[in-house]
């Protein structure tokens, strides 16, 4: 299939938790985050970059706390042309409606 997204059938609740806490992922994500911060502010100090990454990790953990209880209603997708390892979309379909989420700075968007 040539769709934009492919379902990540291997991403169960346990795998999601491991993906979030994987040291290699964190190292890689910190690099992506640093690139993003420097893109917005080329003069950012290491302290600023570290603080922004810590803030981002807090948001990431908040997202995990939000999505884990809904896991039975979650389908995880990955862009078949993803240029960043780790970019995933999270579809949540429940009584509150249909919603798609992605993790900021892991998903690259083309600037128009």
């Amino acid at each position: 299939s040539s769709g934009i997204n492919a379902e990540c059938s291997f991403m169960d609740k346990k795998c999601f938790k491991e993906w979030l806490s994987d040291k290699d992922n964190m190292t890689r994500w910190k690099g992506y985050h640093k690139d993003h911060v420097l893109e917005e502010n080329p003069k950012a100090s290491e302290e600023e970059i570290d603080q922004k990454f810590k803030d981002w990790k807090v948001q990431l953990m908040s997202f995990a706390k939000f999505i884990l209880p809904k896991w039975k209603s979650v389908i995880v997708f990955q862009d078949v042309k993803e240029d960043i390892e780790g970019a995933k979309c999270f579809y949540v379909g429940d009584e509150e409606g249909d919603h798609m989420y992605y993790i900021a700075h892991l998903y690259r968007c083309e600037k128009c």
Side-chain angles (χ1 to χ4, degrees):
S1 69
S2 60
I4 293 174
N5 292 317
E7 185 175 341
C8 287
S9 52
F10 65 86
M11 181 71 83
D12 60 14
K13 205 172 189 177
K14 179 175 181 272
C15 184
F16 174 69
K17 289 177 185 175
E18 289 169 359
W19 179 74
L20 282 179
S21 59
D22 183 87
K23 282 188 171 54
D24 289 342
N25 281 345
M26 277 299 163
T27 301
R28 191 177 318 114
W29 296 344
K30 189 170 187 175
Y32 300 154
H33 198 77
K34 181 177 182 173
D35 291 347
H36 176 79
V37 171
L38 290 173
E39 219 172 80
E40 288 187 339
N41 177 10
K43 295 179 179 158
S45 68
E46 284 300 318
E47 291 78 22
E48 284 177 83
I49 293 166
D50 286 346
Q51 186 56 53
K52 286 190 181 283
F53 185 68
K54 284 177 187 162
D55 295 346
W56 178 83
K57 276 180 26 183
V58 168
Q59 293 298 314
L60 183 65
M61 291 306 118
S62 294
F63 175 68
K65 286 179 186 157
F66 158 78
I67 206 163
L68 282 167
K70 301 174 179 286
W71 199 261
K72 67 181 180 351
S73 304
V74 172
I75 302 172
V76 183
F77 294 95
Q78 147 175 319
D79 188 324
V80 293
K81 291 185 294 212
E82 70 178 11
D83 62 335
I84 291 185
E85 297 168 56
K88 306 276 183 278
C89 285
F90 299 87
Y91 165 79
V92 180
D94 57 21
E95 62 280 352
E96 294 172 26
D98 296 317
H99 304 280
M100 265 305 211
Y101 301 92
Y102 69 94
I103 299 173
H105 309 314
L106 293 189
Y107 223 90
R108 303 297 273 185
C109 300
E110 291 300 317
K111 291 190 177 165
C112 300

